[in-house]
């Protein structure tokens, strides 16, 4: 009888532990469905409640998801607290995210990049995990929490690539595709993207498709886009339809299919289709003339209102570029910049700010005011402001660079905003001193060169 009772208790205990695990797992999955909008609308408040319950039951990853939700809600202090609770519980992923968020500035004014770098180095010393080494390489690449050192970043990416680490393979492919710190090498980019996919990262299919397109191999691009769609890569299907419409797949292109798919999906509320279709409207030769612009704009605005950063960028761009078509576009743009400012960042933020404050009746004053704003920034914010200025007003960017180079003793000519030969020589001199001459020599006013020049100026300002 005693042995029978003991068996009953054992079975009951096992059943209880299984039920406990299922409950914790179920809470986590329900919370993620609500956080990501799977099978229904996004509900961050309810997702947060469920993740709290899941975390209390011992699911450490729920603490990471709670931090993500708090960040979306703008509560950076609680985001840090959630991750630090995970760190205390010995959860390495919490420490990784804590470090990464500090480095990338996701904790807003509470971000301390140097602390993030220190935590990464501790993780590397403890585990030598590839993801920690990769994140540290990113810090060296962008100069966040450490002095910028592209050589150190590339060397670590290459070591990780030798270990077949997919993110590092993709990063090296990005460099080859864009010509970052090296000459463009499209064939190398294709090979590296393929290696990243072979290493298990199916998210790279879209990048591989774009690289094939850049080489002119429309057939390979077509196949890669289909693989991206098969792997449910966000935006792949909308991009595929756009390229059909534009005839980028040569004999495989189906313009009617592309137009119909984009129009139907955009008007039915597909955000990716809406963003592709609205951007096509920027050029008369590419417009889908039967598109319901009002409904498409409403789809994009709705997503922006719900905190989607890319949607906010697309909506602001539409108000700028299609202002001739959209009634009251300038006033709407100025209001939208203030509404979406918390979710905008980098050069996008400054581009929209400069456009919103531009005085069409006084171009010279607007240029001087924008340049003065950027010159009042420091570090990464200076770089973002300079690139935002370049996007909005190319002459103003040259004006800014001339003023900064003169302060650094590299330029003695007049500050006019014109890219004279003496201005170009001064830019190349700065690039050579900063170790990025190989990028700048292709054209110091190209995007990558302008970025490197802006960053070099920011670094020298800090030194001086």
């Amino acid at each position: 009888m005693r042995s029978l009772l003991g068996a009953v208790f054992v079975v009951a205990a096992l059943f209880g532990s299984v039920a406990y695990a299922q409950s914790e797992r179920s809470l986590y999955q329900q919370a993620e469905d609500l956080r990501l909008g799977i099978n229904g609308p996004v509900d961050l408040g309810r997702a947060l409640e469920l993740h709290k319950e899941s975390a209390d039951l011992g699911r450490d990853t729920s603490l990471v998801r709670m931090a993500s939700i708090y960040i979306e809600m703008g509560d950076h202090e609680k985001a840090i607290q959630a991750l630090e609770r995970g760190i205390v519980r010995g959860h390495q992923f919490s420490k990784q995210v804590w470090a990464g968020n500090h480095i990338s500035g996701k904790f807003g004014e509470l971000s301390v990049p140097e602390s993030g770098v220190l935590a990464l180095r501790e993780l590397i010393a403890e585990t030598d995990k590839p993801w920690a080494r990769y994140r540290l390489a990113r810090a060296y690449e962008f100069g966040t929490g450490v002095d910028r050192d592209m050589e150190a970043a590339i060397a670590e990416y290459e070591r990780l690539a030798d270990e077949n680490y997919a993110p590092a393979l993709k990063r090296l492919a990005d460099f080859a595709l864009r010509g970052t710190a090296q000459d463009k090498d499209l064939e190398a980019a294709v090979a590296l993207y393929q290696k990243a996919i072979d290493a298990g990262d199916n998210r790279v299919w879209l990048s591989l498709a774009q690289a094939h397109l850049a080489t002119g191999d429309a057939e390979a691009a077509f196949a890669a886009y289909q693989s991206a769609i098969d792997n449910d890569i966000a935006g792949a299907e909308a991009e595929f339809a756009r390229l059909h419409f534009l005839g980028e797949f040569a004999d495989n292109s189906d313009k009617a299919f592309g137009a119909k798919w984009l129009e139907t999906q955009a008007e039915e509320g597909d955000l990716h289709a809406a963003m592709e279709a609205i951007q096509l409207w920027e050029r008369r030769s590419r417009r889908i003339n039967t598109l319901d612009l009002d409904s498409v704009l409403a789809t994009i605005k709705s997503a922006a209102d719900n905190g989607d950063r890319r949607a906010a960028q697309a909506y602001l761009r539409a108000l700028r570029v299609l202002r001739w078509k959209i009634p009251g576009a300038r006033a709407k743009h100025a209001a939208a910049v203030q509404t979406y400012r918390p979710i905008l960042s980098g050069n996008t933020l400054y581009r929209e700010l400069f456009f919103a404050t531009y005085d069409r009746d006084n171009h010279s004053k607007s240029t001087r005011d924008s340049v003065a704003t950027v010159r009042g920034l420091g570090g990464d914010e200076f770089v973002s402001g300079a690139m935002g200025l370049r996007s909005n007003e190319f002459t103003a960017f040259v004006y800014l660079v001339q003023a900064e180079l003169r302060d650094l003793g590299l330029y003695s000519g007049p500050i006019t905003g014109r890219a004279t030969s003496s201005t170009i020589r001064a830019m190349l001199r700065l690039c050579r001193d900063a170790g990025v001459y190989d990028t700048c020599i292709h054209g110091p006013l190209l995007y990558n060169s302008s970025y490197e020049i802006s960053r070099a100026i920011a670094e020298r300002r800090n030194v001086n």
Side-chain angles (χ1 to χ4, degrees):
M1 179 69 177
R2 183 175 301 169
S3 62
L4 177 61
L5 287 173
V8 170
F9 284 133
V10 168
V11 171
L14 287 171
F15 179 80
S17 64
V18 169
Y20 172 89
Q22 286 178 338
S23 173
E24 167 255 326
R25 232 183 344 258
S26 175
L27 283 169
Y28 179 86
Q29 191 56 58
Q30 290 176 55
E32 282 299 274
D33 287 351
L34 290 167
R35 183 176 74 90
L36 300 172
I38 299 172
N39 300 321
V42 171
D43 187 341
L44 293 181
R46 181 60 180 150
L48 183 60
E49 291 174 5
L50 292 173
H51 270 308
K52 284 179 180 177
E53 292 182 43
S54 174
D56 289 342
L57 289 173
R59 184 90 174 198
D60 292 331
T61 309
S62 276
L63 294 167
V64 176
R65 305 307 176 213
M66 285 167 59
S68 297
I69 294 170
Y70 281 129
I71 288 172
E72 286 196 56
M73 292 178 168
D75 194 336
H76 300 123
E77 185 173 1
K78 286 186 178 178
I80 292 172
Q81 290 171 355
L83 291 170
E84 289 180 346
R85 182 180 166 196
I87 293 169
V88 169
R89 283 158 59 158
H91 189 226
Q92 282 192 349
F93 186 42
S94 291
K95 189 171 184 178
Q96 172 193 350
V97 175
W98 183 91
N101 286 353
H102 270 297
I103 291 171
S104 61
K106 288 187 177 179
F107 293 138
E109 294 181 355
L110 299 180
S111 298
V112 184
E114 293 78 8
S115 296
V117 168
L118 180 61
L120 279 180
R121 286 178 170 151
E122 290 173 355
L123 285 166
I124 291 168
E126 294 167 4
T127 67
D128 198 37
K129 293 288 187 182
W131 52 256
R133 291 161 52 199
Y134 176 79
R135 197 65 191 80
L136 185 60
R138 295 272 294 180
Y140 277 117
E141 179 185 343
F142 294 102
T144 47
V146 290
D147 290 336
R148 188 169 186 247
D149 189 338
M150 279 297 290
E151 288 186 9
I154 291 172
E156 188 59 59
Y157 289 143
E158 289 176 342
R159 284 190 289 271
L160 287 164
D162 289 341
E163 297 170 25
N164 214 33
Y165 187 61
L169 287 163
K170 181 184 182 300
R171 196 67 187 144
L172 292 173
D174 292 341
F175 289 167
L177 183 67
R178 298 168 189 163
T180 302
Q182 63 184 62
D183 290 338
K184 279 188 178 183
D185 190 337
L186 299 181
E187 296 300 330
V190 166
L192 287 163
Y193 283 135
Q194 186 62 61
K195 285 183 179 179
I197 292 168
D198 294 342
D201 192 349
N202 285 325
R203 296 170 300 175
V204 181
W205 276 112
L206 189 57
S207 296
L208 177 61
Q210 293 162 350
H212 276 307
L213 209 59
T215 67
D217 191 339
E219 187 173 347
F222 187 93
Y225 273 109
Q226 289 183 316
S227 293
I229 293 167
D230 291 342
N231 282 278
D232 296 322
I233 308 300
E237 201 164 6
E239 189 170 316
F240 185 64
R242 173 176 60 83
L243 293 169
H244 266 293
F245 177 70
L246 296 176
E248 296 289 344
F249 294 129
D251 292 341
N252 287 324
S253 297
D254 186 338
K255 183 173 182 177
F257 158 77
K260 183 65 175 177
W261 191 95
L262 286 173
E263 182 176 13
T264 301
Q265 296 301 315
E267 292 178 358
E268 290 182 357
D270 182 287
L271 178 60
H272 293 288
M275 291 192 294
E276 292 284 9
I278 204 73
Q279 194 163 345
L280 285 171
W281 246 81
E282 294 176 7
R283 292 178 60 177
R284 180 178 297 178
S285 62
R286 296 182 172 186
R287 291 173 195 159
I288 302 173
N289 291 313
T290 54
L291 187 72
D292 185 343
L293 279 180
D294 289 340
S295 71
V296 172
L297 279 171
T299 292
I300 298 171
K301 185 178 184 300
S302 176
D305 289 344
N306 286 322
D308 189 304
R309 181 177 57 84
R310 289 189 63 213
Q313 292 173 347
Y315 182 65
L316 288 166
R317 179 186 175 95
L319 292 174
R320 275 191 294 108
V321 181
L322 300 178
R323 57 187 180 275
W324 59 273
K325 179 70 174 176
I326 303 170
R330 279 193 174 273
K332 289 177 181 177
H333 180 275
V337 168
Q338 296 308 314
T339 299
Y340 304 138
R341 185 166 183 167
I343 60 174
L344 298 174
S345 61
N347 61 310
T348 298
L349 170 61
Y350 288 102
R351 178 182 62 225
E352 303 302 345
L353 280 173
F354 293 146
F355 181 83
T357 57
Y358 180 77
D359 183 354
R360 288 175 292 171
D361 296 326
N362 197 334
H363 171 75
S364 296
K365 183 178 184 300
S366 293
T367 296
R368 289 194 302 272
D369 289 348
S370 298
V371 169
T373 296
V374 178
R375 297 198 76 192
L377 304 172
D380 290 340
E381 283 297 297
F382 173 85
V383 178
S384 295
M387 295 305 289
L389 191 64
R390 179 187 181 277
S391 298
N392 195 58
E393 173 61 71
F394 201 82
T395 301
F397 175 75
V398 176
Y399 188 102
L400 168 71
V401 170
Q402 287 174 330
E404 291 291 337
L405 290 176
R406 189 168 69 177
D407 287 352
L408 293 172
L410 296 173
Y411 175 71
S412 58
I415 299 174
T416 62
R418 293 194 297 273
T420 60
S421 57
S422 59
T423 303
I424 298 299
R425 285 196 298 271
M427 288 177 169
L428 291 175
R429 190 177 306 121
L430 174 68
C431 291
R432 185 180 291 107
D433 293 346
V436 292
Y437 184 79
D438 287 346
T439 298
C440 298
I441 191 60
H442 298 291
L445 293 174
L446 296 176
Y447 184 89
N448 285 344
S449 303
S450 296
Y451 175 82
E452 295 293 353
I453 287 168
S454 299
R455 181 162 286 283
I457 289 172
E459 290 171 354
R460 285 197 168 215
R461 288 165 113 223
N462 290 338
V463 171
N464 295 339

